[in-house]
Amino acid sequence: MLQPEQIVPNIYWVGALDWNERLFHGYTTERGITYNAYLIMDEKITLIDTVKAKFSQDLIDRIATIVDPAKIDVVISNHVEMDHSGALPAIAKACPNATHYCSTKAVAEMAAHYGDSITFNAVKTGDTLNIGSRTLTFVETPMVHWPDNMVTYSPEDKILFSNDAFGQHFAGSSRFDVDSDVSEIMKQARKYYANIVQPYAAQAKGALDVVETLDLEMIAPSHGIIWTEHIPDILQAYKRWTANTRVPKAAIIYDSMWESTAKMGRAICEAFIEQEIEARYFDIKDTHESDIVAWALDADYICVGSPTLNMKLMPNVAMFLTYFLGLSPRNQGRHALAFGSYGWAPIGPKQVHEQLAQTGFDMLFEEALVHNWVPNKDALNELQTKVSEKVRSIQEQKE
Ligand code: FEO
C-alpha cells in the first residue's frame, strides 16, 4: 500500500490514487484522478475530506499507519460531491468519536446523501475551529462548483485546503508540483477549469479574491498535485480564466459525412492563419469534446460545422453544442461562425447558426456559410477569402 506522505510537519496526505479512471461525468481523465484527503496530527486529530467510496478501506488503512482511526476527533468535509464524501459512512464507523463539520448549505445535501447516520455541524465564512496548535478558518465558496463548497485554511501552516478549486485530474507518483511535469499539470488544471468550473466563473472569481488575501505557502486541492512553488502560476491562470480573457485564437469544430464539411472547416482554419490568428480544427469524431472545450477556453472565435442528416444537424455536433453551451461559455463579444455542406436542404448548418446566435455570440455572418454538395478548389478558395476578409475587418476594428 502506498504510504501516507507528510506534506508539512504533522500534516499527511492520506488520499487515494485512481490511475484507471478515464471518464468523469463525460470528461475524459486520461491521466487518472486522485482523491486527496489530509490528516492533521494536532491535539484534536483532524481529517480534511475523504475519498470516493470504493477507496474507503485504502483511506482507513493509510490513516492507520499513522494513528488509530478511532482517535480522530474532527472530520471536515469541504464538499458533498461523492468523490470527496463517498468514504464518510466508512469513516463514521471507523472514527465513532469524530465531530463532523461542513458548510451550512452542505448539511441538507449531506443528509440527502447519507441520511441521518452522521450529524454535521454547520460552519460559515469566517468561522474558526481550534484544534490545538492550529486554528482552522473556513471560507464558503458556493457554486465553485456546487452550492455547498467551502475551503479550509490553516494560517499556522499557510496551507489552503482548496478542495475542487485549483485541482487537476492527474494521478502522479509525486504529490507536489515541484516534482511533477508542470506543463502537464497546468494543462490538466486548464482542462479541469474548462470542464468543471467554467460555468461558475463569477463565483470562482469571488473565491479567488478571498484566496488572494491569504498568506499562502501551499495550496492542497482534493484532486491532483499540491501547489507550492507554482502557486503564483495557478493563481494567475485562474485570474485569466475567471476574467474570461480572450485571445486571438480560433477553434473550428465539425463533423462530416463525406469530407465536404471537413474541407470547409480546413479552409476556414486557413483563413484565420492567413490573418495571423492561432487556429486549429477539430473533427468531433477524433477529439473528445472535453479536450476541445479546454483548448477553446480563451478562443475569441468559435466556428462550428455540420452537414444535414435526416433534416437535422449531425448528432455529434448536437452533442458538442449541448456540452459546450451547457458550460455557459461567456459569449459576449465573442465571435462565432456556422458552416456546413448539404445535399438537398441546408438545415444542419442553419440549426448550428441558430443555436450559436441564441446563446449570445456575435455571429461573423448573418447566416451559416453553406455549400451544396462537394466544394471544389474554387469554392474553398472563395470561402477562405470570405472568412479571411471578415476576420481582418474585425481585427482592424479592435486595433
Ligand atoms: Fe471533486 Fe465537485 O467534486
Side-chain angles (χ1 to χ4, degrees), residues 177-188:
D177 54 357
V178 285
D179 303 320
S180 306
D181 174 353
V182 175
S183 64
E184 178 65 25
I185 301 301
M186 288 303 294
K187 181 180 145 195
Q188 294 298 338

Side-chain angles (χ1 to χ4, degrees), residues 148-190:
D148 59 85
N149 283 88
M150 69 173 192
V151 297
T152 300
Y153 177 58
S154 171
E156 291 79 8
D157 302 290
K158 299 183 181 175
I159 298 180
L160 180 71
F161 299 97
S162 64
N163 194 264
D164 278 339
F166 312 116
Q168 338 88 47
H169 281 327
F170 178 86
S173 299
S174 166
R175 304 280 67 78
F176 292 100
D177 54 357
V178 285
D179 303 320
S180 306
D181 174 353
V182 175
S183 64
E184 178 65 25
I185 301 301
M186 288 303 294
K187 181 180 145 195
Q188 294 298 338
R190 178 191 177 100

Side-chain angles (χ1 to χ4, degrees), residues 24 79 81 83-84 145-146 149 163-164 169 192 196 223:
F24 184 85
H79 183 26
E81 195 164 12
D83 46 344
H84 309 293
H145 64 127
W146 276 22
N149 283 88
N163 194 264
D164 278 339
H169 281 327
Y192 189 92
I196 304 274
H223 294 298

Side-chain angles (χ1 to χ4, degrees), residues 10-48:
N10 297 318
I11 301 186
Y12 297 84
W13 174 91
V14 288
L17 301 181
D18 195 347
W19 296 95
N20 284 330
E21 186 70 48
R22 288 290 174 271
L23 203 62
F24 184 85
H25 307 168
Y27 156 7
T28 52
T29 53
E30 63 276 6
R31 299 297 302 257
I33 294 184
T34 71
Y35 313 105
N36 297 336
Y38 300 96
L39 185 72
I40 306 178
M41 294 300 294
D42 209 320
E43 281 171 36
K44 287 184 182 171
I45 299 171
T46 300
L47 177 67
I48 298 184

Side-chain angles (χ1 to χ4, degrees), residues 113-131:
H113 282 71
Y114 303 110
D116 57 5
S117 58
I118 307 171
T119 301
F120 289 91
N121 294 278
V123 293
K124 57 184 187 314
T125 295
D127 285 354
T128 58
L129 179 68
N130 182 270
I131 57 169

